[in-house]
Amino acid sequence: MPRRTSREPGRLRPGTQGPLARSLAALAGAGLALTALTGCGDTDPAGQAPPRAGAAAAEVDESKWPKVTPDTGLARGLVLPLQQYMQTYQDSVVIERAARSLQTQCMADFGFTVAFPPVGTNPPPNADDANMSRRYGITDRAMAEKYGFGIPPDTVEHPPPPKLTAAAVAVLTGRKGLDPRAEPAPATYQGKKIPKDGCQGASFDRIGARIDFALSSRLDHDSLVKSQETPEVQAGIRAWSGCMKKKGYAVADPYAAIDLIPRVEGAETSGKEISAAVADIDCKKETDLVRVWHTAEAAIQTQQVEQNQLALQQLKEKNAAAVKAAEAALRG
């Protein structure tokens, strides 16, 4: 089975600046960005009706979405103090659904018909920056037996990217190109003023979703680094490495385990990789490494929360308000 790999299980995922930054960044990648727009041109020749947000949502298989708290494997039930101050994938989907609905209306005001595909059809492997199921390396034996160190393949069929006119891109993004670094577009289109950052930016402003999650992401990264330096985790990693050596694998830490078996991108997961991945998890279970590591990091994050309580609480409240506003927008 072709593999998808999560090569840095404990590192931050892209998009920690909130849904607007993720949406703008996505537009820079033709595959994702352009599949988000169909029938978009300087006029509305087809008279296409915008899709209803509820109908789009109904097509999404939410059972495939990543869980904030793992319900299987060695990380089952584990959470960290900082997770309550992160934006979950579930939150971002609600916000993005509302934003796209507002963007459709905004683009129609400029004479464009925009049809967005359902939000949530291509979920990331982790539900938030904590990435708990892979934070300390792989932890789910059943998954390892199927995909080795990788993750389930993306089986969703995505529509081919259509061509967008320069005018459509300008109105949607407020720039002359899909790249967020592209120079600003003219301030007006056919005599009508383009909102700041285009219809896309205006939609997130209306919801209040321009939220900077840099603080929670930085603290989350710092706690992981610091936890690796604690005596108990160092001892646990050495024990795990010793266990792996007995099984025939010379590897210093769980993050290096993914490189034990040479692999070709897109190729089927080999039996050798599966064996190494299973050995990795079995040694984690034998040495209790995941619990030891989590306990050490949770203590560090508890201190971080105490030291940054006001800023983190404000972040949490802003995110909750954005989700609430998005839900209201979806209700119309």
Side-chain angles (χ1 to χ4, degrees), residues 148-225:
F149 292 100
I151 57 179
D154 179 8
T155 57
V156 176
E157 292 187 11
H158 303 286
K163 294 181 180 180
L164 301 179
T165 65
V169 172
V171 173
L172 181 66
T173 69
R175 294 178 171 82
K176 290 185 177 181
L178 294 176
D179 190 326
R181 297 167 296 183
E183 63 179 288
T188 63
Y189 172 70
Q190 294 187 348
K192 184 177 178 64
K193 184 177 180 180
I194 298 175
K196 176 177 170 55
D197 294 328
C199 288
Q200 194 172 52
S203 69
F204 284 99
D205 282 338
R206 179 171 168 180
I207 299 170
R210 288 184 188 257
I211 308 171
D212 188 348
F213 289 92
L215 174 61
S216 59
S217 295
R218 176 177 60 79
L219 294 175
D220 176 67
H221 176 268
D222 290 349
S223 70
L224 183 58
V225 173

Side-chain angles (χ1 to χ4, degrees), residues 240-276:
W240 172 87
S241 181
C243 175
M244 290 291 285
K245 186 175 182 179
K246 292 178 182 179
K247 294 179 182 292
Y249 302 101
V251 57
D253 65 68
Y255 297 144
I258 193 172
D259 295 319
L260 281 170
I261 307 299
R263 57 202 176 281
V264 178
E265 190 68 30
E268 292 187 356
T269 306
S270 68
K272 288 184 178 180
E273 179 180 335
I274 289 175
S275 295

Side-chain angles (χ1 to χ4, degrees), residues 71-75 133-134 137-145 148 277 281:
D71 57 4
T72 59
L74 300 180
S133 63
R134 287 176 174 256
I138 57 174
T139 57
D140 192 320
R141 199 177 196 279
M143 290 281 288
E145 289 174 345
I281 294 174

Side-chain angles (χ1 to χ4, degrees), residues 7-25:
R7 296 186 56 82
E8 298 180 81
R11 300 294 296 278
L12 301 182
R13 65 184 170 89
T16 55
Q17 301 301 308
L20 175 57
R22 284 196 293 274
S23 189
L24 290 173

